[in-house]
């Protein structure tokens, strides 16, 4: 994958592939959107590490910023599409969510958090496996307003994109363009997702204990 994206580095195709994957990830959580973002950043950073001219270095930093904006924008776009679809087909999505106690509990916590203005759970969910899907669909089913959901979705997308690109950038800058640097960066993203999933389950565990 590193070699494949490396051949497209610096071309619009990289942003198109990353953006499409991030948009669709909300509907198909098994898509490796985070891996693609990290790999694209690793490839660009590894190339930049071999270049000493300052103008080239600034160009690659601009490429990193563009990658962050691309991934963050695609993340918000995917969230809003899922949110609107769930809003319009609320009954069907509500029944589907209701079949899973975990999803129903997550939806209830989301609604309470957004009502209190504590949408930080949206940011956490962006890192947790399938958390983005639950949050976006749950907000639509619960008919939360765009004003409640969109700002937190934008913040979540930006934080996730910046973190993922940073992992790829520093991994590629220090270790070069290799599967080892990409693998270590992906592992760090996996760790962040595991921590986010743990933090999201804590309220449920406390409620069960009481």
């Amino acid at each position: 994958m590193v070699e494949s994206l490396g051949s497209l580095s610096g071309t619009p195709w990289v942003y198109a592939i990353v953006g499409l994957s991030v948009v669709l990830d909300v509907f198909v959580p098994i898509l490796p959107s985070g891996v693609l973002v990290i790999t694209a950043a690793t490839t660009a950073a590894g190339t930049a590490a071999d270049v000493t001219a300052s103008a080239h270095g600034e160009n690659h930093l601009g490429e990193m910023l563009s990658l962050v904006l691309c991934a963050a924008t695609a993340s918000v776009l995917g969230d809003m599409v899922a949110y609107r679809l769930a809003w319009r087909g609320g009954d069907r999505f509500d029944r589907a969510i209701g079949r899973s106690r975990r999803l129903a509990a997550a939806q209830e916590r989301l609604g309470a958090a957004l009502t209190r203005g504590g949408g930080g759970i949206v940011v956490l969910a962006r890192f947790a496996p399938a958390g983005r899907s639950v949050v976006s669909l749950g907000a639509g089913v619960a008919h939360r307003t765009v004003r409640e959901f969109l700002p937190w979705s934008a913040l979540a997308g930006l934080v996730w994109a910046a973190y993922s690109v940073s992992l790829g950038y520093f991994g590629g800058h220090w270790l070069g363009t290799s599967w080892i640097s990409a693998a270590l960066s992906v592992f760090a993203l996996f760790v962040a997702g595991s921590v986010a999933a743990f933090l999201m389950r804590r309220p449920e565990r406390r409620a069960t204990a009481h």
Side-chain angles (χ1 to χ4, degrees):
M1 183 182 293
V2 175
E3 290 79 5
S4 299
L5 283 181
S7 63
L8 298 176
S9 182
T11 70
W13 285 108
V14 170
Y15 304 107
I17 293 172
V18 168
L20 182 61
S21 176
V22 173
V23 168
L24 296 179
D25 178 72
V26 70
F27 302 103
V28 189
I30 62 173
L31 284 177
S33 59
V35 176
L36 285 176
V37 172
I38 287 175
T39 303
T42 298
T43 301
T47 303
D50 298 330
V51 179
T52 57
S54 61
H56 285 23
E58 291 176 1
N59 180 61
H60 283 288
L61 288 178
E63 190 173 347
M64 294 296 149
L65 179 59
S66 297
L67 190 57
V68 169
L69 293 178
C70 172
T73 301
S75 179
V76 175
L77 179 60
D79 287 355
M80 295 309 297
V81 171
Y83 165 81
R84 284 299 184 186
L85 288 175
W87 180 294
R88 295 177 180 178
D91 292 339
R92 285 175 294 176
F93 282 104
D94 201 22
R95 286 194 297 269
I97 291 176
R99 296 191 188 101
S100 170
R101 185 163 50 185
R102 179 176 296 180
L103 293 181
Q107 180 188 3
E108 183 178 350
R109 292 199 304 273
L110 170 66
L114 290 176
T115 299
R116 295 193 306 267
I121 191 174
V122 179
V123 179
L124 276 179
R126 186 62 186 84
F127 288 85
R132 177 190 179 199
S133 303
V134 172
V135 163
S136 301
L137 296 174
V141 168
H143 284 190
R144 296 293 161 182
T145 65
V146 173
R147 184 182 300 178
E148 288 178 316
F149 179 62
L150 180 57
W152 289 106
S153 171
L155 178 61
L158 184 60
V159 170
W160 172 82
Y163 179 74
S164 301
V165 170
S166 296
L167 288 177
Y169 174 78
F170 288 112
H173 189 73
W174 292 331
L175 300 176
T177 304
S178 67
W179 69 268
I180 296 178
S181 61
L184 289 175
S185 299
V186 170
F187 177 74
L189 184 64
F190 173 79
V191 170
S194 299
V195 172
F198 172 76
L199 293 176
M200 290 181 67
R201 285 197 298 266
R202 287 183 64 187
E204 184 179 350
R205 291 177 177 175
R206 286 198 297 266
T208 302
H210 289 300

